[in-house]
PDB file of all heavy atoms in Angstrom:
ATOM      1  N   LEU A 337       3.148  -4.640  -7.987  1.00  0.00           N
ATOM      2  CA  LEU A 337       3.940  -5.433  -7.019  1.00  0.00           C
ATOM      3  C   LEU A 337       5.321  -5.768  -7.491  1.00  0.00           C
ATOM      4  O   LEU A 337       6.303  -5.716  -6.769  1.00  0.00           O
ATOM      5  CB  LEU A 337       3.112  -6.673  -6.607  1.00  0.00           C
ATOM      6  CG  LEU A 337       1.902  -6.431  -5.784  1.00  0.00           C
ATOM      7  CD1 LEU A 337       1.096  -7.751  -5.606  1.00  0.00           C
ATOM      8  CD2 LEU A 337       2.186  -5.810  -4.481  1.00  0.00           C
ATOM      9  N   ALA A 338       5.381  -6.092  -8.792  1.00  0.00           N
ATOM     10  CA  ALA A 338       6.705  -6.452  -9.354  1.00  0.00           C
ATOM     11  C   ALA A 338       7.654  -5.254  -9.290  1.00  0.00           C
ATOM     12  O   ALA A 338       8.878  -5.418  -9.135  1.00  0.00           O
ATOM     13  CB  ALA A 338       6.537  -6.902 -10.795  1.00  0.00           C
ATOM     14  N   LEU A 342       3.664  -0.836  -3.727  1.00  0.00           N
ATOM     15  CA  LEU A 342       2.515  -1.406  -2.962  1.00  0.00           C
ATOM     16  C   LEU A 342       1.364  -0.454  -3.027  1.00  0.00           C
ATOM     17  O   LEU A 342       0.199  -0.907  -3.190  1.00  0.00           O
ATOM     18  CB  LEU A 342       2.938  -1.751  -1.536  1.00  0.00           C
ATOM     19  CG  LEU A 342       1.852  -2.332  -0.708  1.00  0.00           C
ATOM     20  CD1 LEU A 342       1.376  -3.655  -1.264  1.00  0.00           C
ATOM     21  CD2 LEU A 342       2.326  -2.539   0.711  1.00  0.00           C
ATOM     22  N   ALA A 348      -4.925  -0.105  -7.465  1.00  0.00           N
ATOM     23  CA  ALA A 348      -5.432  -0.971  -8.537  1.00  0.00           C
ATOM     24  C   ALA A 348      -6.431  -1.999  -7.984  1.00  0.00           C
ATOM     25  O   ALA A 348      -7.476  -2.223  -8.574  1.00  0.00           O
ATOM     26  CB  ALA A 348      -4.288  -1.671  -9.249  1.00  0.00           C
ATOM     27  N   ALA A 355     -17.124  -8.691  -6.249  1.00  0.00           N
ATOM     28  CA  ALA A 355     -16.929 -10.114  -5.936  1.00  0.00           C
ATOM     29  C   ALA A 355     -15.403 -10.462  -5.890  1.00  0.00           C
ATOM     30  O   ALA A 355     -14.963 -11.195  -4.976  1.00  0.00           O
ATOM     31  CB  ALA A 355     -17.597 -10.992  -6.991  1.00  0.00           C
ATOM     32  N   ALA A 358     -13.836  -8.932  -2.800  1.00  0.00           N
ATOM     33  CA  ALA A 358     -14.117  -9.746  -1.638  1.00  0.00           C
ATOM     34  C   ALA A 358     -13.103 -10.854  -1.494  1.00  0.00           C
ATOM     35  O   ALA A 358     -12.677 -11.182  -0.404  1.00  0.00           O
ATOM     36  CB  ALA A 358     -15.576 -10.272  -1.716  1.00  0.00           C
ATOM     37  N   SER A 361      -9.914  -9.454  -0.280  1.00  0.00           N
ATOM     38  CA  SER A 361     -10.086  -8.547   0.899  1.00  0.00           C
ATOM     39  C   SER A 361      -9.016  -8.740   1.977  1.00  0.00           C
ATOM     40  O   SER A 361      -8.546  -7.794   2.576  1.00  0.00           O
ATOM     41  CB  SER A 361     -11.490  -8.676   1.516  1.00  0.00           C
ATOM     42  OG  SER A 361     -11.671 -10.012   2.062  1.00  0.00           O
ATOM     43  N   LEU A 364      -5.848  -7.189   0.660  1.00  0.00           N
ATOM     44  CA  LEU A 364      -6.025  -5.770   0.576  1.00  0.00           C
ATOM     45  C   LEU A 364      -5.913  -5.125   1.959  1.00  0.00           C
ATOM     46  O   LEU A 364      -5.260  -4.147   2.147  1.00  0.00           O
ATOM     47  CB  LEU A 364      -7.343  -5.443  -0.095  1.00  0.00           C
ATOM     48  CG  LEU A 364      -7.622  -3.988  -0.468  1.00  0.00           C
ATOM     49  CD1 LEU A 364      -6.468  -3.429  -1.356  1.00  0.00           C
ATOM     50  CD2 LEU A 364      -8.946  -3.821  -1.153  1.00  0.00           C
ATOM     51  N   GLU A 368      -3.035  -2.551   3.042  1.00  0.00           N
ATOM     52  CA  GLU A 368      -3.364  -1.174   3.547  1.00  0.00           C
ATOM     53  C   GLU A 368      -2.731  -1.006   4.944  1.00  0.00           C
ATOM     54  O   GLU A 368      -2.264   0.077   5.261  1.00  0.00           O
ATOM     55  CB  GLU A 368      -4.888  -1.022   3.590  1.00  0.00           C
ATOM     56  CG  GLU A 368      -5.504  -0.900   2.226  1.00  0.00           C
ATOM     57  CD  GLU A 368      -6.985  -0.908   2.210  1.00  0.00           C
ATOM     58  OE1 GLU A 368      -7.595  -1.501   3.110  1.00  0.00           O
ATOM     59  OE2 GLU A 368      -7.591  -0.357   1.225  1.00  0.00           O
ATOM     60  N   GLU A 369      -2.741  -2.064   5.773  1.00  0.00           N
ATOM     61  CA  GLU A 369      -2.105  -1.970   7.095  1.00  0.00           C
ATOM     62  C   GLU A 369      -0.605  -1.703   6.922  1.00  0.00           C
ATOM     63  O   GLU A 369      -0.036  -0.940   7.640  1.00  0.00           O
ATOM     64  CB  GLU A 369      -2.386  -3.192   7.887  1.00  0.00           C
ATOM     65  CG  GLU A 369      -1.860  -3.173   9.325  1.00  0.00           C
ATOM     66  CD  GLU A 369      -2.272  -4.368  10.125  1.00  0.00           C
ATOM     67  OE1 GLU A 369      -3.260  -5.052   9.783  1.00  0.00           O
ATOM     68  OE2 GLU A 369      -1.561  -4.620  11.144  1.00  0.00           O
ATOM     69  N   ARG A 370       0.008  -2.470   6.013  1.00  0.00           N
ATOM     70  CA  ARG A 370       1.435  -2.249   5.759  1.00  0.00           C
ATOM     71  C   ARG A 370       1.778  -0.843   5.345  1.00  0.00           C
ATOM     72  O   ARG A 370       2.717  -0.205   5.790  1.00  0.00           O
ATOM     73  CB  ARG A 370       1.875  -3.224   4.669  1.00  0.00           C
ATOM     74  CG  ARG A 370       3.235  -2.997   4.060  1.00  0.00           C
ATOM     75  CD  ARG A 370       4.406  -3.513   4.931  1.00  0.00           C
ATOM     76  NE  ARG A 370       5.617  -3.253   4.326  1.00  0.00           N
ATOM     77  CZ  ARG A 370       6.433  -4.126   3.739  1.00  0.00           C
ATOM     78  NH1 ARG A 370       6.053  -5.369   3.615  1.00  0.00           N
ATOM     79  NH2 ARG A 370       7.588  -3.769   3.250  1.00  0.00           N
ATOM     80  N   LEU A 377       6.044   4.890  10.407  1.00  0.00           N
ATOM     81  CA  LEU A 377       7.475   4.779  10.581  1.00  0.00           C
ATOM     82  C   LEU A 377       8.173   6.004   9.940  1.00  0.00           C
ATOM     83  O   LEU A 377       9.072   6.550  10.543  1.00  0.00           O
ATOM     84  CB  LEU A 377       7.993   3.504   9.953  1.00  0.00           C
ATOM     85  CG  LEU A 377       9.498   3.228  10.059  1.00  0.00           C
ATOM     86  CD1 LEU A 377       9.894   3.236  11.534  1.00  0.00           C
ATOM     87  CD2 LEU A 377       9.847   1.929   9.392  1.00  0.00           C
ATOM     88  N   ARG A 381      10.525   8.591  12.013  1.00  0.00           N
ATOM     89  CA  ARG A 381      11.887   8.878  11.609  1.00  0.00           C
ATOM     90  C   ARG A 381      12.073  10.335  11.467  1.00  0.00           C
ATOM     91  O   ARG A 381      13.110  10.911  11.895  1.00  0.00           O
ATOM     92  CB  ARG A 381      12.219   8.160  10.347  1.00  0.00           C
ATOM     93  CG  ARG A 381      12.463   6.693  10.505  1.00  0.00           C
ATOM     94  CD  ARG A 381      12.794   6.024   9.182  1.00  0.00           C
ATOM     95  NE  ARG A 381      13.124   4.640   9.381  1.00  0.00           N
ATOM     96  CZ  ARG A 381      13.005   3.701   8.490  1.00  0.00           C
ATOM     97  NH1 ARG A 381      12.594   4.009   7.257  1.00  0.00           N
ATOM     98  NH2 ARG A 381      13.286   2.445   8.719  1.00  0.00           N
ATOM     99  N   ALA A 382      11.098  11.044  10.842  1.00  0.00           N
ATOM    100  CA  ALA A 382      11.211  12.490  10.676  1.00  0.00           C
ATOM    101  C   ALA A 382      11.256  13.216  12.031  1.00  0.00           C
ATOM    102  O   ALA A 382      12.073  14.123  12.224  1.00  0.00           O
ATOM    103  CB  ALA A 382      10.092  13.007   9.791  1.00  0.00           C
ATOM    104  N   GLN A 383      10.387  12.770  12.881  1.00  0.00           N
ATOM    105  CA  GLN A 383      10.380  13.400  14.247  1.00  0.00           C
ATOM    106  C   GLN A 383      11.690  13.127  14.986  1.00  0.00           C
ATOM    107  O   GLN A 383      12.200  14.028  15.670  1.00  0.00           O
ATOM    108  CB  GLN A 383       9.153  12.888  15.046  1.00  0.00           C
ATOM    109  CG  GLN A 383       7.853  13.381  14.547  1.00  0.00           C
ATOM    110  CD  GLN A 383       6.653  12.733  15.268  1.00  0.00           C
ATOM    111  OE1 GLN A 383       6.797  11.685  15.798  1.00  0.00           O
ATOM    112  NE2 GLN A 383       5.573  13.451  15.192  1.00  0.00           N
ATOM    113  N   ALA A 390      17.624  19.293  17.027  1.00  0.00           N
ATOM    114  CA  ALA A 390      17.454  20.256  18.092  1.00  0.00           C
ATOM    115  C   ALA A 390      18.504  20.073  19.158  1.00  0.00           C
ATOM    116  O   ALA A 390      18.859  21.089  19.836  1.00  0.00           O
ATOM    117  CB  ALA A 390      16.053  20.145  18.675  1.00  0.00           C
TER     118      ALA A 390
END
Side-chain angles (χ1 to χ4, degrees):
L337 290 173
L342 184 59
S361 64
L364 189 55
E368 289 171 336
E369 185 174 338
R370 166 81 183 254
L377 181 58
R381 285 181 176 154
Q383 290 174 336

